[in-house]
Amino acid sequence: MPNQTFTFEIQRFDPASDAGPHVQAYTLDVLPGATVLEALLRIQAEQDGSLAFRYACRGAVCGSCAMTIDGQTRLACRTQVHALETGTITVAPLANLPVVKDLLVDVDSFLDKTAAVQPWLQAAEAGPEKEYLVPPKDWHEAEAYTNCILCASCQAVCPAAGRDPAYLGPAALAQHYRFLADVRDEADEQRLRLVDSEQGVWGCDMVWNCVEVCPRGVPPTRGIGKTRARIRRAQREREREREEEET
Ligand code: SF4
Ligand code: FES
């Protein structure tokens, strides 16, 4: 595939000086194989040093560069320009998060929600003498949820997150399920209480957008469904115990 000229229509917004967002176009010759992140870095270096965006690893590991590219939520460092098969590429910030400047979004509330689900192991105080040994069959359920890179792509495509800023969101609920599914964790009852609300697992529309968009194969909706099932099961057990006490 030859070198080709592309137009990048980039959403710009500087809250310090702009009344609202506007689109600015840049043209660039792009080599085959170059990513959108590489194109943005060249635009910033060669044409407009004021363009703001976030990145770090350039290798789909840190989760910093998620944005809306050609109308879809993607990692800029994993999206090749030529593969988009269009001469005009729109680039905008992630949806459902406040814009700090241009393509840079404020992820504080997103990270706070992840922290709110207590994403750490809560095991018995006296742990094993050496390491915990988890049989592969028991680890399998939690494993997919350990791959999250906190890119917030799922947050951007989640209709419930768009509707309710207080909704914990797919990434936090996926982290929550990662520990609920971990056989070493012993805080199940407390964990289930944490998300048993409309801002927790009951707020999910179950449309699976988050599963489709996730660049790491994390399936938040599946975990949310399993957490709901655990909450219902715990409720049934409590009711059965109450009935037994009354008879
Ligand atoms: S679950 Fe997937 S899409 Fe959501 S933050 Fe984690 S890696 Fe990104
Ligand atoms: S720069 Fe790290 S995921 Fe893209």
Side-chain angles (χ1 to χ4, degrees), residues 37 54-65 75-78 149:
L37 178 60
R54 183 184 284 121
Y55 73 99
C57 71
R58 306 190 193 199
V61 174
C62 72
S64 303
C65 70
L75 294 180
C77 71
R78 209 174 77 156
I149 55 173

Side-chain angles (χ1 to χ4, degrees), residues 145 158 160 163 167 173 176-177 180 191-193 195-208 220-236 238:
Y145 298 88
C158 172
R163 232 177 14 244
Y167 175 53
L173 292 170
H176 175 271
Y177 183 67
L180 194 63
R191 289 196 186 282
L192 292 177
R193 268 201 310 273
V195 298
D196 184 9
S197 67
E198 281 301 311
Q199 279 70 48
V201 289
W202 303 107
C204 174
D205 290 350
M206 304 302 271
V207 291
W208 294 74
T221 316
R222 183 175 167 277
I224 290 168
K226 294 222 166 189
T227 306
R228 286 181 176 184
R230 293 274 296 266
I231 290 171
R232 288 196 189 99
R233 199 187 319 146
Q235 277 169 348
R236 283 197 299 273
R238 280 197 300 274

Side-chain angles (χ1 to χ4, degrees), residues 6-33:
F6 291 85
T7 301
F8 290 85
E9 292 185 346
I10 301 178
Q11 185 173 307
R12 306 294 311 270
F13 176 54
D14 183 349
S17 55
D18 299 336
H22 62 280
V23 172
Q24 195 163 346
Y26 304 87
T27 54
L28 197 69
D29 277 352
V30 180
L31 288 167

Side-chain angles (χ1 to χ4, degrees), residues 117-122 133-146 172-189 191-192 195 218-220 222-228 230-231 233:
V117 301
Q118 303 181 354
W120 54 83
L121 195 66
Q122 298 183 47
L133 288 177
V134 182
K137 71 171 177 44
D138 289 339
W139 180 239
H140 181 71
E141 184 62 22
E143 190 174 17
Y145 298 88
T146 65
L173 292 170
Q175 282 300 303
H176 175 271
Y177 183 67
R178 175 251 175 277
F179 288 95
L180 194 63
D182 191 318
V183 291
R184 299 166 297 176
D185 195 90
E186 294 172 3
D188 290 11
E189 208 180 312
R191 289 196 186 282
L192 292 177
V195 298
V218 180
R222 183 175 167 277
I224 290 168
K226 294 222 166 189
T227 306
R228 286 181 176 184
R230 293 274 296 266
I231 290 171
R233 199 187 319 146

